C-alpha cells in the first residue's frame, strides 16, 4: 500500500499516543490528589479523637492539698479503640517531672492555654500520632504546669489508607482504560475520512481522472483540491496527446492512400521484375503503415469513448449478424464460412460502436490467421454472463506468447507474413474492460483459436 | 491438688524472692531439642491435659510450666522478658499493657473474633465469671442471695454470723482481684456499699481464689466475693458444702489470655502452643479431660458482656489512678 512512499511516523499513532498519554497523566494525578486528600481526612479523624482524649484527661487533673491528682477517665482510652487494635501511649508531666505514663514518649511543646498540638513521631519503632496539651494549675503558694500527651499508633489509619489507595487505584485504572477506548475511537473517527478518500481513489479505474466529488472534512479540503486540479491537468494533457495521435494518424492515412493508388498504377505499367519487386514491397509497406495508422486511430477513439461510454440496449446477436453480413465478402475470397450460433436474443447495456470495433478486430484476426476453406464460429450467449466467442480452425495462438498478445503492438510469431500493427487484441481488450468485462485467449484442444469477449 | 493447697499456704505472703514459684513443673522428654518456658497464673492441674495434648503432637518439645500470681507475672516478665516464651494470665489489663508495650509478637493465621483477641497477639481462651461462693451452712435452702444487694441485706441482717467470716481478694496483692474490683466499681456504686459492709464485718483478704475456697471448705468463711467459679467447679470435694452464685445484677466476666514473648528464641513452637491452646479451648472437646472453662461468647446468657480487650484496660493501671483507687478501697474495706 505504501510501496515507494517515503513514510515517517503515523498520524494515528501520534494522535492515539497523545490522547492515551494525557489520560495516563490525568489518571496518575487523580490518584495522588485523591489519596493525599483522603489521607488528610483520615488523619484529621484520628486527630480529633486524640484531641478529645487529651482534653478529657486534662479536665480530670485537679490540685488537692498541693498535690496533683489525675483521675484518668476510662473513656479517655476506650475512645481510642480501633479495628486494628492500635497501641496507645500517654504521659503526664508536672513541670519537668513525669507523673505517670511513658517517659520516653516524644512530647510537643504545647502552649499553656490548653490548646492541643499534634505531631507525628516514632515511638518504640512504630509511627505514632501524638496530641499534647498543657494547663497551668494555681495552688495556695505555687503555680505548676501539667502537660498531658496521648499517642496512638497508625495501623488502622494505614489500613484505611491502603483501602482508599486500592479503590482510587482501581478507579484510576478504570478511567485510564475508558480513556484508551475513547482515544482509539476518536483516532479512528478522525482517520476514517482519509481512509475513505484513499479507498475511493484506489478503487478508481485506470482512466478515471474525474475530480473527487464526495464531501471531505475541512482539514482535507486543500489536499483534495490540489489532487483534483492535478488530475484535471493530467486529464487535459492525456486528451491532448490522444487527440494528437488521432490527428496524426488521420493526416498520415489520407496521403498514404494516394501514394498507394499511385504505386498500384505504376506496378501495372512496369515490366522489369526487380522494379516490380520494389514496388510490391513499397505497396506492402504502405499497407502496413496505413493499417497501423487506422488501428492507432481506432485505439485512440476507443480510449476516448471508454471514459465517456454511450451505452444503449444492444442485442448482441443482431450486432454479430450485422458484422457477419459486412465481412462475408472478405471471407468468401478465402472460401471461409462465417457461422453464428445463438439462442434467441442477448440484450445488454453497452456501447455498440465499441463492441462492433472489438468484434471486427477479432473476426479479422480469424480471417487473417486461418487457412482457406475453413469455418469461423461466432457464438453468442446471454447467460450466465453475456459473452461472444470467436472460434476458428486455424493453427491457434503461439502457446508461449499467449499472455502477451493482448499488449500494445505485440504480434505473434505466426504473424510475420501478414500485415498488422499488433493493436487488434488491445482494442478488443480495452473495450471489454470499459464494459467491466474481460478478454480471454485460449487454444481449443481440437486445434484453432478461441477468443472470448466477456461483458 | 494436694501440692496446690500446700503451696498456697506458704506462698500467700508472696514476692520476697522473684524466682520462688507457686508451682513449677517440667513436661515432655528431657532430651527434647526445644524447651518452651510458659509463665502462667493458671494452676498446673488445669493445664496438664492441654500441655500433654500439645506434646503428643510435638514430640521434640518439652515444656517448663511456671505458676505464679498475676501481679507477680507482670513484674517477673517485665524484668526478664527473654526468660519466657509464652505468658498466660487472667489479669487482662496487665496482659494488654504488656502487649501494648511491645512485649509480644503477632501470631498469623489464628482466626479469633475481634473481641477475643488484641493486635493478633493477645488471645483469650476462657470466659470465667467472678462469682459469690457461699457456705451452705450459713443460709437456709432457698434463701441464698442472688444479687449483691441481697448479699448486703443478708450480711446486715445477721452480722454475728458473718463477722470475720467474709472474704474477698486483696486488690493490692492480686492482679485479677484488682481487675475484678475496678470493673465492678465501673459498673455500679453497689460495689462500694458491698465493700463497706464487708469491711464493717472485718473481711479477710486473700491473694487467690484457691485460698478462699480452702477457707470456705474449712468453715472459716461463710461468703467469699469475686471468686473464680471455675476453680470451685474443678474441685470435686466441695459440691456438698459450697454453692456458686452468679450475681444476676451484673456479672463481671474475665477472659484468660496468652501471648508469645517478643524475645523468644522459639517463636514457631511458642506460636504453635498458643494456637493449640486456643483451638482446644474453642473447639468441641471432652470437659472431663479438659477442665478449663471454654471460651464462650462475647455476651453471656444474661446479656452481659465480658470485660473487653481494649486500651481502656490500661486506665486503672495508671499509678495515679491506682493510688486513688487503692486509697478508696482501703478506706472502705480495712476501715
Ligand atoms: N485467430 C488467431 N489465430 C492465430 N493467431 C492469432 C489469432 N488472432 C491473433 N493472433 C496472434 O495474435 C497477434 C496479435 O493480434 P492483434 O490482432 O493484436 O495484431 P495483428 O493482428 O497482428 O495486427 P492488427 O493490429 O492489424 O490486427 C497476432 O499477431 C497473431 O500472432
Ligand atoms: Mg489483428
Amino acid at each position: 500500500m505504501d510501496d515507494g512512499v517515503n513514510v515517517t511516523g503515523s498520524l494515528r499513532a501520534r494522535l492515539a499516543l497523545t490522547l492515551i498519554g494525557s489520560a495516563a497523566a490525568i489518571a496518575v494525578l487523580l490518584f495522588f490528589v485523591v489519596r493525599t486528600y483522603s489521607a488528610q481526612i483520615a488523619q484529621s479523624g484520628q486527630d480529633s479523637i486524640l484531641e478529645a482524649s487529651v482534653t478529657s484527661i486534662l479536665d480530670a487533673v485537679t490540685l488537692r492539698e498541693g498535690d496533683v491528682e489525675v483521675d484518668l477517665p476510662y473513656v479517655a482510652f476506650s475512645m481510642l479503640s480501633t479495628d486494628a487494635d492500635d497501641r496507645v501511649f500517654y504521659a503526664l508531666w508536672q513541670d519537668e517531672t513525669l507523673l505517670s505514663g511513658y517517659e520516653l514518649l516524644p512530647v510537643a511543646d504545647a502552649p499553656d492555654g490548653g490548646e492541643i498540638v499534634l505531631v507525628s513521631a516514632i515511638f518504640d519503632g512504630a509511627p505514632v500520632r501524638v496530641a499534647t496539651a498543657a494547663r497551668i494549675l494555681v495552688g495556695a503558694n505555687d503555680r505548676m504546669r501539667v502537660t498531658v500527651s496521648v499517642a496512638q499508633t497508625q495501623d488502622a489509619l494505614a489500613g484505611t489508607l491502603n483501602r482508599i489507595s486500592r479503590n482510587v487505584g482501581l478507579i484510576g485504572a478504570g478511567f485510564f482504560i475508558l480513556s484508551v477506548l475513547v482515544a482509539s475511537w476518536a483516532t479512528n473517527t478522525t482517520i476514517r475520512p482519509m481512509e475513505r478518500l484513499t479507498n475511493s481513489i484506489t478503487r478508481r479505474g485506470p482512466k478515471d481522472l474525474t475530480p473527487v466529488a464526495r464531501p471531505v472534512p475541512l482539514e482535507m479540503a486543500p489536499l483534495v483540491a490540489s489532487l483534483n486540479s492535478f488530475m484535471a491537468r493530467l486529464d487535459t494533457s492525456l486528451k491532448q496527446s490522444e487527440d494528437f495521435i488521432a490527428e496524426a494518424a488521420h493526416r498520415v492515412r489520407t496521403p498514404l492512400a494516394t501514394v498507394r493508388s499511385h504505386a498500384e498504377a505504376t506496378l501495372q505499367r512496369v515490366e522489369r521484375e526487380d522494379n516490380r519487386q520494389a514496388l510490391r514491397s513499397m505497396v506492402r509497406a504502405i499497407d502496413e503503415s496505413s493499417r497501423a495508422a487506422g488501428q492507432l486511430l481506432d485505439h485512440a477513439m476507443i480510449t476516448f469513448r471508454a471514459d465517456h461510454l454511450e451505452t444503449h440496449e444492444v442485442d448482441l446477436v443482431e450486432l454479430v449478424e450485422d458484422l457477419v453480413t459486412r465481412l462475408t465478402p472478405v471471407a468468401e475470397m478465402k472460401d471461409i464460412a462465417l457461422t453464428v450460433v445463438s439462442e434467441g436474443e442477448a440484450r445488454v447495456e453497452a456501447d455498440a460502436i465499441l463492441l462492433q470495433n472489438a468484434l471486427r478486430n477479432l473476426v479479422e484476426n480469424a480471417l487473417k490467421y486461418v487457412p482457406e476453406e475453413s469455418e469461423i464460429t461466432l457464438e453468442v450467449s446471454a447467460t450466465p454472463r453475456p459473452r461472444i466467442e470467436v472460434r476458428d480452425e486455424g493453427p491457434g495462438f503461439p502457446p508461449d506468447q499467449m499472455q502477451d498478445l493482448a499488449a500494445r503492438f505485440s504480434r505473434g510469431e505466426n504473424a510475420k507474413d501478414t500485415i498488422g500493427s499488433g493493436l487488434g487484441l488491445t482494442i478488443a481488450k480495452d473495450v471489454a474492460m470499459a464494459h467491466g468485462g474481460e478478454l480471454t485467449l485460449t487454444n481449443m484442444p481440437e486445434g484453432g483459436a478461441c477468443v472470448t469477449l466477456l461483458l | 491438688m494436694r501440692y496446690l493447697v500446700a503451696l498456697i499456704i506458704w506462698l500467700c505472703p508472696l514476692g520476697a524472692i522473684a524466682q520462688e514459684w507457686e508451682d513449677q513443673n517440667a513436661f515432655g522428654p528431657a532430651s527434647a531439642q526445644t524447651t518452651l518456658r510458659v509463665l502462667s497464673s493458671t494452676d498446673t492441674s488445669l493445664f496438664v491435659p492441654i500441655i500433654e495434648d500439645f506434646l503428643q503432637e510435638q514430640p521434640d518439645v518439652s515444656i517448663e510450666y511456671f505458676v505464679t500470681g498475676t501481679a507477680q507475672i507482670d513484674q517477673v516478665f517485665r524484668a526478664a522478658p527473654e526468660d519466657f516464651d509464652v505468658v498466660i494470665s487472667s489479669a487482662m489489663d496487665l496482659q494488654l499493657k504488656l502487649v501494648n508495650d511491645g512485649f509480644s509478637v503477632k501470631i498469623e493465621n489464628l482466626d479469633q473474633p475481634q473481641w477475643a483477641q488484641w493486635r493478633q497477639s493477645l488471645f483469650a481462651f476462657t470466659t470465667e465469671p467472678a462469682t459469690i461462693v457461699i457456705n451452705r451452712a450459713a443460709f437456709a435452702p432457698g434463701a441464698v442471695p442472688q444479687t449483691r444487694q441481697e448479699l448486703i441485706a443478708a450480711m446486715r441482717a445477721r452480722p454475728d454470723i458473718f463477722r470475720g467470716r467474709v472474704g474477698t481478694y486483696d486488690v493490692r496483692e492480686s492482679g485479677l482481684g484488682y481487675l475484678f474490683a475496678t470493673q465492678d466499681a465501673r459498673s455500679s456504686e453497689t460495689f462500694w456499699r458491698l465493700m463497706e459492709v464487708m469491711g464493717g464485718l472485718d473481711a479477710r483478704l486473700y491473694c487467690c481464689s484457691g485460698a478462699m475456697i480452702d477457707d470456705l471448705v474449712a468453715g472459716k468463711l461463710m461468703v467469699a466475693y469475686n471468686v473464680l467459679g471455675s476453680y470451685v467447679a474443678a474441685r470435686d470435694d466441695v459440691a456438698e458444702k459450697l454453692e456458686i452464685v452468679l450475681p444476676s445484677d451484673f456479672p463481671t466476666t474475665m477472659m484468660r489470655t496468652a501471648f508469645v514473648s517478643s524475645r523468644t528464641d522459639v517463636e514457631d513452637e511458642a506460636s504453635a502452643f498458643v494456637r493449640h491452646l486456643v483451638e482446644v479451648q474453642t473447639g468441641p472437646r471432652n470437659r472431663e479431660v479438659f477442665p478449663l472453662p471454654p471460651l464462650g461468647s462475647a455476651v453471656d446468657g444474661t446479656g452481659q458482656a465480658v470485660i473487653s480487650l481494649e486500651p481502656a484496660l490500661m486506665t486503672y493501671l495508671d499509678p495515679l489512678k491506682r493510688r486513688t483507687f487503692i486509697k478508696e478501697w482501703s478506706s472502705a474495706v480495712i476501715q
Side-chain angles (χ1 to χ4, degrees):
Chain A
M1 182 136 160
D2 50 0
D3 314 311
V5 179
N6 183 2
V7 176
T8 63
S10 145
L11 277 184
R12 184 194 294 270
R14 204 178 302 172
L15 195 61
L17 233 76
T18 317
L19 289 172
I20 292 172
S22 41
I26 292 173
V28 171
L29 196 74
L30 182 86
F31 175 79
F32 282 108
V33 168
V34 175
R35 217 186 74 122
T36 315
Y37 187 56
S38 16
Q40 278 168 9
I41 292 176
Q43 184 62 71
S44 76
Q46 186 187 31
D47 287 355
S48 59
I49 297 175
L50 280 170
E51 284 173 8
S53 175
V54 166
T55 311
S56 72
I57 296 174
L58 209 56
D59 284 349
V61 177
T62 50
L63 201 58
R64 189 173 295 170
E65 292 151 17
D67 277 342
V68 173
E69 278 192 6
V70 184
D71 186 23
L72 213 55
Y74 207 75
V75 68
F77 293 157
S78 82
M79 70 171 84
L80 291 170
S81 295
T82 62
D83 288 347
D85 295 334
D86 274 298
R87 297 161 70 184
V88 171
F89 309 104
Y90 70 101
L92 308 177
W93 296 84
Q94 174 183 347
D95 297 316
E96 301 306 314
T97 40
L98 182 79
L99 287 174
S100 72
Y102 296 73
E103 187 166 15
L104 301 177
L105 187 68
V107 171
D109 269 336
D112 295 340
E115 207 173 292
I116 296 164
V117 180
L118 288 148
V119 289
S120 295
I122 300 286
F123 180 67
D124 195 25
V128 292
R129 188 79 171 160
V130 192
T132 308
R135 215 178 109 188
I136 299 289
L137 298 179
V138 184
N141 37 24
D142 53 357
R143 251 171 88 85
M144 58 197 79
R145 185 168 190 273
V146 174
T147 310
V148 174
S149 289
V150 176
Q152 189 181 30
T153 53
Q154 305 204 285
D155 298 356
L157 192 82
T160 311
L161 274 188
N162 281 345
R163 238 179 0 257
I164 291 174
S165 295
R166 202 172 47 239
N167 288 342
V168 176
L170 284 178
I171 292 172
F175 171 80
F176 179 71
I177 290 169
L178 205 71
S179 308
V180 169
L181 293 180
V182 170
S184 73
W185 172 77
T187 312
N188 279 342
T189 5
T190 313
I191 297 290
R192 195 168 307 135
M194 237 180 266
E195 283 175 341
R196 251 183 286 171
L197 180 69
T198 313
N199 274 345
S200 79
I201 290 178
T202 318
R203 271 206 315 267
R204 278 175 176 223
K207 306 257 169 61
D208 186 357
L209 289 175
T210 53
V212 175
R214 67 181 318 149
V216 293
L218 185 65
E219 290 76 9
M220 282 169 62
L223 175 67
V224 173
S226 54
L227 188 67
N228 279 349
S229 87
F230 174 73
M231 287 195 300
R233 271 177 287 143
L234 195 63
D235 198 25
T236 323
S237 77
L238 272 179
K239 279 211 186 83
Q240 275 169 356
S241 58
E242 274 162 17
D243 287 354
F244 181 78
I245 293 165
E247 180 74 21
H250 185 69
R251 279 173 188 264
V252 169
R253 220 157 50 148
T254 328
L256 275 181
T258 321
V259 174
R260 191 185 194 275
S261 65
H262 285 304
E264 286 276 340
T266 314
L267 189 59
Q268 301 299 317
R269 282 181 268 126
V270 176
E271 299 281 306
R272 271 181 56 190
E273 191 48 35
D274 52 344
N275 285 348
R276 287 179 70 88
Q277 195 59 43
L279 276 171
R280 261 190 228 108
S281 2
M282 201 165 119
V283 170
R284 191 188 152 90
I286 289 164
D287 281 348
E288 293 261 10
S289 307
S290 161
R291 174 70 181 169
Q295 289 289 76
L296 274 174
L297 195 56
D298 279 0
H299 185 257
M301 185 269 288
I302 277 154
T303 311
F304 177 76
R305 278 189 84 112
D307 285 349
H308 315 89
L309 273 187
E310 285 175 22
T311 56
H312 300 283
E313 205 183 51
V314 186
D315 180 11
L316 292 181
V317 180
E318 201 182 309
L319 191 123
V320 169
E321 271 163 359
D322 257 16
L323 185 75
V324 167
T325 321
R326 269 196 283 137
L327 288 178
T328 303
V330 189
E332 275 172 355
M333 291 196 331
K334 276 185 91 175
D335 272 338
I336 291 175
L338 293 174
T339 321
V340 179
V341 180
S342 74
E343 297 166 345
E345 293 183 327
R347 296 196 166 274
V348 288
E349 279 289 315
D351 189 324
I353 294 182
L354 292 188
L355 282 185
Q356 267 169 13
N357 216 312
L359 266 184
R360 184 166 44 74
N361 267 294
L362 296 182
V363 179
E364 270 174 8
N365 275 357
L367 290 172
K368 245 195 310 195
Y369 301 110
V370 301
E372 302 195 348
E373 291 184 39
S374 63
E375 192 181 8
I376 298 175
T377 314
L378 293 98
E379 185 176 334
V380 181
S381 49
T383 49
R385 274 169 74 178
R387 63 154 88 208
I388 303 166
E389 247 176 48
V390 180
R391 296 194 293 264
D392 62 38
E393 295 171 346
F397 299 104
D400 47 342
Q401 291 180 307
M402 210 127 80
Q403 65 269 43
D404 301 326
L405 291 178
R408 280 179 200 179
F409 304 113
S410 151
R411 305 201 67 205
E413 272 170 5
N414 59 337
K416 271 188 195 127
D417 301 330
T418 42
I419 289 172
S421 63
L423 281 173
L425 287 179
T426 312
I427 289 169
K429 187 182 167 193
D430 284 358
V431 168
M433 284 183 23
H435 286 87
E438 56 189 308
L439 186 80
T440 44
L441 310 184
T442 42
N443 281 332
M444 292 183 294
E446 64 270 22
C450 169
V451 186
T452 313
L453 183 93
L454 206 65
L455 292 180
Chain B
M1 205 40 65
R2 270 164 284 110
Y3 52 82
L4 188 75
V5 177
L7 279 170
I8 284 165
I9 287 167
W10 62 265
L11 271 178
C12 266
L14 188 104
I17 310 160
Q19 256 56 19
E20 280 184 6
W21 306 108
E22 278 179 31
D23 191 12
Q24 178 180 358
N25 281 91
F27 300 88
S31 59
Q33 284 160 4
T34 43
T35 304
L36 275 183
R37 294 154 304 171
V38 179
L39 182 58
S40 170
S41 68
T42 306
D43 289 348
T44 316
S45 59
L46 292 174
F47 239 87
V48 169
I50 293 171
I51 292 176
E52 281 175 350
D53 200 39
F54 174 72
L55 290 180
Q56 235 160 35
E57 288 173 17
Q58 305 258 352
D60 293 345
V61 180
S62 68
I63 288 180
E64 279 188 70
Y65 190 79
F66 303 94
V67 180
T68 189
T70 46
Q72 197 68 14
I73 285 178
D74 191 59
Q75 282 174 28
V76 169
F77 183 68
R78 275 181 194 271
E82 66 281 357
D83 284 354
F84 303 96
D85 304 308
V86 176
V87 180
I88 294 168
S89 170
S90 49
M92 295 165 70
D93 46 357
L94 293 171
Q95 291 281 87
L96 185 118
K97 191 158 185 345
L98 283 171
V99 172
N100 188 67
D101 293 357
F103 284 99
S104 67
V105 284
K106 287 193 161 66
I107 302 176
E108 304 299 341
N109 312 323
L110 180 47
D111 280 337
Q112 277 293 82
Q114 178 70 14
W115 60 268
Q117 59 90 10
W118 201 66
R119 289 190 67 72
Q120 197 61 31
S121 303
L122 184 64
F123 291 91
F125 61 92
T126 64
T127 44
E128 299 172 55
T131 61
I132 303 167
V133 181
I134 56 126
N135 196 322
R136 289 186 200 275
F139 295 92
V144 172
Q146 296 301 319
T147 65
R148 291 173 181 78
Q149 291 285 5
E150 286 173 21
L151 180 62
I152 290 170
M155 288 192 295
R156 277 192 179 146
R158 295 184 293 162
D160 44 318
I161 294 196
F162 293 105
R163 187 165 312 280
R165 296 163 97 183
V166 293
T168 187
Y169 273 113
D170 184 344
V171 302
R172 298 164 299 185
E173 294 272 343
S174 161
L176 177 61
Y178 185 70
L179 174 68
F180 278 154
T182 52
Q183 292 296 326
D184 278 355
R186 273 188 64 221
S187 299
S188 166
E189 275 300 313
T190 315
F191 170 73
W192 289 117
R193 282 203 282 126
L194 179 62
M195 285 302 113
E196 276 159 16
V197 171
M198 288 178 82
L201 292 172
D202 300 329
R204 298 165 65 123
L205 300 176
Y206 291 82
C207 73
C208 337
S209 283
M212 281 189 266
I213 297 164
D214 289 338
D215 279 1
L216 280 163
V217 175
K220 292 185 198 162
L221 285 182
M222 291 297 129
V223 172
Y225 178 68
N226 272 354
V227 182
L228 279 180
S230 50
Y231 277 39
V232 184
R235 292 177 61 157
D236 36 22
D237 57 336
V238 297
E240 292 279 282
K241 288 185 176 165
L242 307 184
E243 182 171 342
I244 305 169
V245 178
L246 200 60
S248 57
D249 44 354
F250 62 92
T252 304
T253 304
M254 71 77 174
M255 299 187 282
R256 272 176 219 273
T257 55
F259 68 87
V260 173
S261 166
S262 58
R263 303 282 298 274
T264 178
D265 294 327
V266 287
E267 190 186 324
D268 288 349
E269 288 80 2
S271 300
F273 182 75
V274 173
R275 191 173 296 133
H276 183 84
L277 170 61
V278 170
E279 274 161 13
V280 166
Q281 287 295 107
T282 51
R285 73 225 172 90
N286 186 349
R287 284 301 303 272
E288 297 289 302
V289 182
F290 300 98
L292 261 185
L295 183 68
S297 54
V299 176
D300 70 9
T302 59
Q304 291 291 330
V306 295
I307 299 168
S308 52
L309 281 171
E310 54 171 358
L313 283 179
M314 302 195 312
T315 311
Y316 283 98
L317 296 182
D318 178 75
L320 299 179
K321 183 92 174 171
R322 185 179 161 92
R323 199 175 65 198
T324 318
F325 184 83
I326 299 274
K327 209 196 280 173
E328 232 172 301
W329 180 87
S330 299
S331 68
V333 176
I334 298 169
Q335 294 183 343

